[in-house]
Amino acid sequence: MTDAAAAPPHQPRRPRRPAWAGRNYTLLAVSAFITTLGSHGALIASAFAVLDAGGDAGDVGLVAAARTLFLVVFLLVGGAVADRLPRHHVMVAANALNFLSQGAFALLVLQGDPRLWQMLALSALGGTGQAFFNPAAEGMLMSSVSGEQASRAFALFRMGMSGAAVGGAALGGAMVAALGPGWVLALDAAAFAVAGGLRAFLDIGHIAARAPGGGLLADIRDGWREVVGRPWLWAVIAQFSVVVAVVGAAESVFGPLVARDELGGAGPWGLALGAFGAGTILGGLLMMRWKPKRLLLAGSVAVFSLALPSAALAVPVPLPALVAVMFVSGVTIEIFGVSWITALHQEIPEEKLSRVSAYDWFGSVAMVPLATALAGPAESAFGRSPALWGCAALVVLATAAVLCVPDVRNLRRREPEPVKAGEPADPAELTPR
């Protein structure tokens, strides 16, 4: 008997990833996990770098605000550019800018005695890089999946980002204590370099060539028309301009103050934030299985729970109740997040995904600096508890208002059309990118 005859029959190898997780999706998920892990540690490191250089809480806020300001200023330009050029080129260029700015920040801190103006300038450069990166990345992600498994892919992607955010914050805090902020910033710069290298291998062969446009401003105006022409789209963007702003003010300004005065300090507040992160992971697992027919109705109803943390801080409730509230709000924000990105993927033409995404990002972040700046004066004028009840009320009112829009209530998930006997399946449904 020959060796060939004696050999067992060939057994096909089982795929190590789901059929819908194609090459592009995998590269995007891995690179985003790496940068999210580094960036959430760097947020802690940059704050301590400012404090170690002799700055105070106001200086920490200025450095953070510089990043947000330049993110807001360049977002719409970034979205238009990402729809004019190959998106992966925009992503790699933005990663290169973030690598250089964060590397310079790390070098200044490691050398000792960084100046406030230097940290402000480098933070602004980092925000500029993110303004170009975010719309390009979201457009690339939405173009990397297709068919009925899109929402599952988005849920898994967001779940990975949530895990990286929680892990990055925990690891970053420990590393700042052990090594100092400079080395954590250096590791974040390295993460941008690695992620940029991975993103350079993204394949855009499945994306149709861009038709010549009428210029950058024309593309920005076209994105605006796409937004205002869809009531469900502009209504939800307007809703989240309020929701993100007041939730951000409650959690970044009032939360630490309540924790200091009522709950025992930073440790309990960190536990509450950790519960929120754990909730987002569970929410991602839920949305990998649940496919609500009315996408935005399910997502918008879930947003009501984001009023609960502000209300819990206004009372204030004991720590176990606050942890439970934060966990629930983490679950429900993922119900909205997956439903929202699925709706965008389904309704927006591929060639306009990034410019529409830019308006979405703009609506979510533009009001945050104003809300956080007004939090202190609101506490002085009305008191902390009434200010927090006001935050909760604004979330409820904005969400109730968006549910008055018929298109928000009625937008339905499109089911893939069944393939008739003898007809080939759509190759776009069979070949993940």
Side-chain angles (χ1 to χ4, degrees):
M1 182 179 291
T2 66
D3 290 343
H10 175 68
Q11 297 291 331
R13 293 196 310 173
R14 293 181 179 179
R16 288 183 289 180
R17 62 189 183 193
W20 45 264
R23 178 172 176 271
N24 275 4
Y25 177 86
T26 303
L27 285 171
L28 288 166
V30 171
S31 57
F33 185 90
I34 292 170
T35 52
T36 302
L37 195 68
S39 295
H40 278 74
L43 288 174
I44 300 171
S46 62
F48 278 92
V50 175
L51 295 174
D52 290 350
D56 55 18
D59 294 330
V60 173
L62 283 174
V63 172
R67 184 179 188 87
T68 304
L69 175 62
F70 277 74
L71 170 63
V72 170
V73 166
F74 287 104
L75 258 174
L76 299 183
V77 176
V81 168
D83 278 339
R84 293 176 68 87
L85 302 176
R87 291 191 182 110
H88 68 313
H89 289 172
V90 178
M91 295 167 69
V92 171
N95 283 166
L97 178 58
N98 285 127
F99 162 70
L100 292 172
S101 61
Q102 207 71 324
F105 200 161
L107 188 60
L108 285 172
V109 173
L110 290 171
Q111 287 179 337
D113 197 27
R115 305 298 187 202
L116 178 61
W117 71 265
Q118 295 171 323
M119 293 185 284
L120 285 169
L122 292 170
S123 183
L125 283 175
T128 302
Q130 287 303 112
F132 284 86
F133 176 83
N134 289 346
E138 193 157 297
M140 194 73 200
L141 174 64
M142 286 189 276
S143 70
S144 71
V145 297
S146 60
E148 61 179 340
Q149 300 297 339
S151 61
R152 177 174 291 185
F154 298 143
L156 180 61
F157 185 92
R158 289 177 60 91
M159 188 169 62
M161 298 310 98
S162 298
V166 174
L171 185 61
M175 291 182 65
V176 167
L179 303 175
W183 287 110
V184 177
L185 291 167
L187 287 173
D188 185 40
F192 279 116
V194 172
L198 291 174
R199 287 162 177 149
F201 291 99
L202 290 167
D203 176 20
I204 61 167
H206 64 293
I207 299 176
R210 304 281 186 246
L216 197 62
L217 290 178
D219 285 353
I220 293 174
R221 288 194 297 269
D222 186 52
W224 173 251
R225 286 191 293 270
E226 288 290 327
V227 171
V228 299
R230 293 175 168 84
W232 63 268
L233 183 55
W234 63 255
V236 174
I237 290 176
Q239 171 203 12
F240 265 75
S241 69
V242 175
V243 170
V244 173
V246 297
V247 169
E251 294 188 358
S252 65
V253 179
F254 295 127
L257 295 174
V258 173
R260 182 195 65 189
D261 297 340
E262 306 289 345
L263 301 176
W269 182 237
L271 181 62
L273 293 177
F276 178 85
T280 62
I281 295 173
L282 180 61
L285 286 171
L286 171 65
M287 293 306 290
M288 288 188 70
R289 294 185 173 274
W290 183 38
K291 297 179 180 180
K293 298 296 184 184
R294 298 193 183 190
L295 288 166
L296 295 184
L297 178 61
S300 296
V301 169
V303 175
F304 279 115
S305 71
L306 294 185
L308 294 177
S310 296
L313 291 169
V315 173
V317 300
L319 179 62
L322 179 60
V323 167
V325 161
M326 294 291 282
F327 180 82
V328 169
S329 63
V331 173
T332 55
I333 193 59
E334 285 305 296
I335 295 175
F336 170 81
V338 174
S339 298
W340 176 244
I341 194 171
T342 303
L344 292 176
H345 172 264
Q346 173 180 290
E347 300 293 328
I348 306 300
E350 191 281 329
E351 70 274 10
K352 298 181 180 181
L353 284 172
S354 289
R355 71 191 80 174
V356 169
S357 174
Y359 277 99
D360 179 23
W361 276 96
F362 184 86
S364 294
V365 302
M367 297 291 289
V368 171
L370 178 63
T372 53
L374 291 177
E379 181 182 20
S380 300
F382 307 110
R384 185 184 300 166
S385 184
L388 280 163
W389 282 118
C391 290
L394 285 171
V395 172
V396 172
L397 289 173
T399 304
V402 85
L403 286 172
C404 294
V405 179
D407 285 0
V408 171
R409 299 193 306 271
N410 298 328
L411 182 68
R412 292 180 179 272
R413 181 189 301 272
R414 292 180 194 161
E415 299 296 339
E417 295 183 3
V419 179
K420 296 179 181 179
E423 288 187 0
D426 182 357
E429 300 289 331
L430 301 176
T431 309
R433 296 290 178 176

